[in-house]
Amino acid sequence: MLATKTFGKALQQSGRAALQTSARSVGSIRGKHTVPDLDYDYDALEPVISAKIMQLHHSKHHATYVANLNIAEEKLQEALAKNDVAAQVAVQPAINFNGGGHVNHTIFWKNLIGEKQGGGQLHEGVLKNAIEDKFGSLEQLSQVVNGKTAGIFGSGWGWLTVDQKGQLDVITTANQDTPATVGHVPLLGIDAWEHAYYLDYNNVKADYFKNIWRVINWKDVAKRYDDAMAKVKK
């Protein structure tokens, strides 16, 4: 069962509707888990990702995962209280799917930042060195990630991760599975679900995969890499 600690503090400011352009207006979702506020407004990633997609993706799609996760966890608690093992097993797929959707999207929002705020800029440091050692260059890394992500059958995610040996790796996960299911630590996630790009790119998802690198928040990715490597060294 996923921990009940919330991933974000929802705003409760009166007079601001959830569908405003500002991403900071999304309210809390039921009791335990909440949709995290963004560090930027919905239009901050344009023209790579439109404000309309960001609004729908964040305030609707992510909110649905959170709401369904809370419902599933309530059902699990009821099943545990009744010692109903069959019911406990039956609710696990809903927890895995919606919990994964919540975790993956929470990472995704932090992985992004507008171009004017430094999006797409990978500065000198240990992460850049590790990328160049493993893949040759950032450009070659993007090609590997895009190639694998484009090969996903149906919906899923493309990831830059740290594996159990502390090495950078590129993997994909189906649906809302997380890299943790294969023992990897996620650094950077590319959402390959149609709701992440279709309004802007229609069926040309290759252009979405190409352009999203312009709004990657490499400071966030680098921080995740540092944290992952610190754990590996312990």
Side-chain angles (χ1 to χ4, degrees), residues 9-11 17-18 22-29 35-37 42 58-59 63:
K9 181 179 180 182
L11 292 178
S22 172
R24 299 178 182 87
S25 61
V26 177
S28 61
I29 306 297
V35 177
D37 303 320
Y42 286 138
H58 179 250
S59 69

Side-chain angles (χ1 to χ4, degrees), residues 94-116:
I95 291 176
N96 292 342
F97 178 77
N98 293 292
H102 182 30
V103 169
N104 291 344
H105 283 89
T106 298
I107 295 170
F108 185 59
W109 307 136
K110 289 291 187 180
N111 279 169
L112 302 176
I113 195 170
E115 290 182 274
K116 293 181 179 179

Side-chain angles (χ1 to χ4, degrees), residues 169-187:
D169 198 4
V170 173
I171 66 171
T172 61
T173 57
N175 299 313
Q176 292 298 349
D177 290 351
T178 71
T181 59
V182 292
H184 285 219
V185 178
L187 305 180

